Each structure stands twice: as C-alpha cells, then as structure tokens.
Amino acid sequence: MAGLKMISEELELEKSLTLGSFTTSIEQIRTRLKAYNSLLAQIDVAQAELVEEEKRLKHMTSDMLTGVASKYGKDSYEYKLAGGTRRSERKRPVHKSKPVLPD
C-alpha cells in the first residue's frame, strides 16, 4: 500500500482500479476476517463447554450403572437393562495351552 501511495496519492489505473477502491476492499476483508475470527472463538468456547458436559455425563452414567448394580446386583436383569453386562453372561477367557516341544 505504501509503495502505491508513493507512486501517487490518487493512483487510478482504470476506472475501477483506484487506490481508494483498493483501500476500501482491504478494509472490507479486515472487517470480515475479524467477524470470522470472532465466530471461531465462539465455536471454541462452545466446543470446550460441550466436552465438559460430555465428561460430566460420562461420570453420571457410570454412577447410575454403579447405583443399579448396588441396588439390584451385577447379575440382575435390571443391571443389564441399565447397560451393564451380567456376570453370568460374561465370556470366560480361553487360555491356549503352550505346545510341548520334543527334546
């Protein structure tokens, strides 16, 4: 911009290419960029709030399941309805035996 002003304060290359229209366009972009950055900041705040709410909900879900287990037991149908896996329905781990190598 400074270089263009050094050429002429009222530089006009064509009817629509003037130093004034160039300056106006730069200011419009700055205004839009400022608004855009403001919106991004608002989105960042909203995202952080959402993450915190999700964490609280995760803890609450765990506490609810623990409460159901405490009241009805971990092998109850109520525990299963609340999202838990009944103890009697858990798969038992299968241990593979190691092959014996001949001497």
Side-chain angles (χ1 to χ4, degrees):
M1 178 69 93
L4 293 174
K5 282 185 178 182
M6 288 180 67
I7 295 171
S8 172
E9 288 285 328
E10 298 174 14
L11 182 63
E12 184 175 339
L13 302 173
E14 293 178 16
K15 289 183 181 181
S16 62
L17 286 177
T18 64
L19 194 54
S21 65
F22 186 59
T23 303
T24 301
S25 292
I26 289 173
E27 289 306 315
Q28 287 174 346
I29 291 292
R30 284 183 180 154
T31 302
R32 285 186 186 257
L33 185 59
K34 188 176 180 180
Y36 173 80
N37 287 334
S38 177
L39 290 172
L40 285 180
Q42 290 175 11
I43 290 170
D44 287 343
V45 168
Q47 181 187 20
E49 290 171 347
L50 181 61
V51 167
E52 286 302 314
E53 288 178 29
E54 286 176 333
K55 286 179 184 178
R56 281 193 297 272
L57 182 60
K58 181 179 177 182
H59 290 294
M60 186 182 234
T61 301
S62 176
D63 292 345
M64 293 291 288
L65 188 59
T66 301
V68 170
S70 175
K71 185 170 184 171
Y72 298 101
K74 286 191 173 184
D75 200 37
S76 68
Y77 288 104
E78 290 83 359
Y79 185 71
K80 183 176 182 175
L81 287 173
T85 302
R86 295 177 62 207
R87 281 188 176 164
S88 61
E89 294 176 353
R90 291 189 185 272
K91 292 184 178 181
R92 306 287 189 259
V94 178
H95 298 288
K96 294 182 180 180
S97 60
K98 294 182 180 178
V100 179
L101 298 175
D103 291 326

